[in-house]
Amino acid sequence: MVEVREAAWRRRAGWWTHNRRYVLFMAREAGGSLSAVYGLILLGLLIAFGQGASAYGDYLAFLQNPLMLVVQAVILVFVLVHAVTWFYLIGKSQVVMSAYRAPPWTRIFGLMIVIFLAASAGVLFIVFGGL
Amino acid sequence: MAGEKQVVFRVRRYQPQGTKGPYYQEYTVPYRDDEVVLDGLNYIKDNLDPTLTFRWSCRMGICGSCGMDVNGNPKLTCGTFIRDASRGGVVQVDPLTSFNSIKDLVTDFDPFMEHFLHVKPWIIRAKEKPVSEGEYIQYPEDLVAFRQQSLCINCTLCMAACPVFQGDNRFIGPASLAMALRYIRDTRDEGAEQRFQRISTEHGIWECTFVGECSVVCPKEVDPAGAIQTLKLMATTRRMKKLLMPKSASR
């Protein structure tokens, strides 16, 4: 009996950088984590609000310093990537809703984008529109 | 292969009886626009180097044998034109990602086969009826429910493309999970409970992070990613039914 020696396969470091879709996947996962970070930032805002006008003003000033603005801009980009790539995948998982006649992913994707924009416009109106 | 154009095939070689590890060897191959990467490999074997070893059989995208990494992407080499694969006059061919190489481009499929058998890819009946009672009737609309998954040719390109399987080959993987759905949805089958016990686990459907690359590389449009999400929903529904209505969760 001859022993078979195989060349073991090893995944290279940075494997996800060689494929655009892997990069988007990693960005989507990072976006999920960063959205949790932004949740903590908002939680801090709520805590400061509960501590009075002075603490709230200080926290707002902290959020407006250049470093925090950059951090929030980066989070926004990653969360947008997370949302859009997830909408793209919903067309695939939508199969579970209609086993025998799956709607085309483009229709699901378009619908999700419309809902996303409408919800965002609604939030912007509530925050800045004077409701 | 009597074309005028030429391309360099950069092929990863490995001889188990040799003293050195895997290495790349280059071959200059003439080609025509209607020739595929598998034609190039066969040209090398027939004319340049008979020691080059690779799997192939049907040459028409049915047998699933000729899957390899072409320029780093899992492909059926019988369905990949040289003219499309050439990058600056070079086509790089590697054994399929995720699997160990036995010799040159031939990989060890045992990890896949073990998972494949675990999902019991055959019709399971609680009690077989006698042949004298006739066949199990199935209507065209019943077939529609699992036809897409039944198109799988076990080429394992989806396994090679799956980052989860690349990182941990205990993951059952997209090919076997798509096949599990194929049988679970078959109206003649009564083995759903057995399969869910195996696939609704840490290394089963719940390990899938929905990268979706398996469905991108699938040459038969089986959509394993969609199949796994379907299985997740079915497993959750069954679990809830067991909790709320324990007597009605047989399928």
Side-chain angles (χ1 to χ4, degrees), chain B:
Chain B
M1 302 282 292
E4 293 179 2
K5 296 180 187 174
Q6 290 193 329
V7 67
V8 173
F9 269 59
R10 189 167 186 265
V11 183
R12 204 183 83 148
R13 306 292 311 270
Y14 171 67
Q15 282 87 40
Q17 73 278 21
T19 54
K20 59 182 176 180
Y23 61 97
Y24 284 96
Q25 188 163 351
E26 294 188 349
Y27 305 93
T28 301
V29 175
Y31 76 99
R32 296 190 313 260
D33 279 347
D34 61 353
E35 286 174 322
V36 294
V37 172
L38 181 61
D39 292 326
L41 292 170
N42 275 320
Y43 177 87
I44 295 169
K45 188 162 182 75
D46 293 341
N47 299 284
L48 305 177
D49 186 350
T51 68
L52 182 64
T53 306
F54 50 95
R55 287 193 183 103
W56 66 282
S57 182
C58 76
R59 295 196 293 185
M60 51 201 285
I62 296 297
C63 72
S65 302
C66 67
M68 298 170 209
D69 270 20
V70 178
N71 298 326
N73 297 308
K75 298 273 188 190
L76 287 184
T77 52
C78 69
T80 306
F81 287 102
I82 295 173
R83 66 168 194 262
D84 297 332
S86 175
R87 300 276 182 274
V90 178
V91 176
Q92 180 164 316
V93 187
D94 287 82
L96 266 184
T97 300
S98 306
F99 297 97
N100 292 348
S101 173
I102 296 173
K103 184 172 191 272
D104 294 340
L105 300 167
V106 178
T107 51
D108 180 359
F109 279 164
D110 282 355
F112 161 66
M113 292 307 296
E114 285 171 19
H115 294 317
F116 193 63
L117 291 176
H118 281 150
V119 303
K120 301 179 187 285
W122 55 81
I123 288 177
I124 297 170
R125 299 287 300 182
K127 187 182 177 191
E128 289 285 349
K129 68 178 181 181
V131 175
S132 58
E133 289 183 21
E135 68 273 26
Y136 296 110
I137 301 295
Q138 191 167 62
Y139 297 99
E141 54 268 34
D142 297 328
L143 174 66
V144 172
F146 64 85
R147 186 175 182 280
Q148 188 178 19
Q149 288 77 42
S150 72
L151 296 175
C152 176
I153 56 174
N154 300 330
C155 63
T156 69
L157 298 194
C158 56
M159 308 278 282
C162 173
V164 180
F165 185 72
Q166 290 171 11
D168 182 358
N169 69 8
R170 290 174 297 177
F171 175 44
I172 293 175
S176 302
L177 290 172
M179 195 51 62
L181 180 65
R182 177 254 175 272
Y183 282 97
I184 287 169
R185 275 187 166 170
D186 193 317
T187 52
R188 299 164 296 181
D189 184 79
E190 295 172 341
E193 183 62 34
Q194 295 178 41
R195 294 195 186 89
F196 273 111
Q197 280 179 8
R198 179 66 186 89
I199 66 174
S200 186
T201 58
E202 182 189 354
H203 297 302
I205 50 178
W206 304 112
E207 197 162 345
C208 169
T209 53
F210 205 1
V211 179
E213 190 69 4
C214 53
S215 293
V216 173
V217 301
C218 177
K220 308 306 283 188
E221 298 184 10
V222 168
D223 190 12
I228 296 172
Q229 308 325 304
T230 303
L231 287 168
K232 286 177 180 174
L233 184 72
M234 292 172 87
T236 306
T237 308
R238 291 171 67 83
R239 181 71 181 158
M240 293 307 292
K241 271 188 176 177
K242 273 186 180 174
L243 285 172
L244 302 173
M245 298 177 289
K247 291 183 181 175
S248 66
S250 59
R251 272 188 68 83

Side-chain angles (χ1 to χ4, degrees), chain A residues 20-126:
Chain A
R20 184 177 56 85
R21 289 179 295 272
Y22 290 161
V23 172
L24 279 177
F25 165 71
M26 295 298 262
R28 190 179 92 214
E29 297 296 292
S33 303
L34 288 173
S35 65
V37 170
Y38 195 67
L40 293 175
I41 291 174
L42 289 181
L43 192 62
L45 189 69
L46 198 63
I47 292 169
F49 185 71
Q51 289 170 342
S54 172
Y56 184 67
D58 290 346
Y59 197 82
L60 281 183
F62 164 70
L63 290 182
Q64 287 168 3
N65 80 53
L67 179 64
M68 283 307 292
L69 287 176
V70 170
V71 168
Q72 290 171 85
V74 169
I75 290 176
L76 176 65
V77 169
F78 273 91
V79 170
L80 284 175
V81 169
H82 181 93
V84 172
T85 54
W86 181 244
F87 293 157
Y88 170 77
L89 290 172
I90 283 178
K92 297 278 184 187
S93 60
Q94 189 66 15
V95 176
V96 301
M97 304 303 290
S98 177
Y100 298 100
R101 203 175 297 168
W105 75 268
T106 46
R107 192 177 301 170
I108 305 296
F109 180 71
L111 180 65
M112 289 294 136
I113 292 291
V114 168
I115 293 172
F116 180 65
L117 291 176
S120 300
V123 169
L124 288 174
F125 179 72
I126 290 169

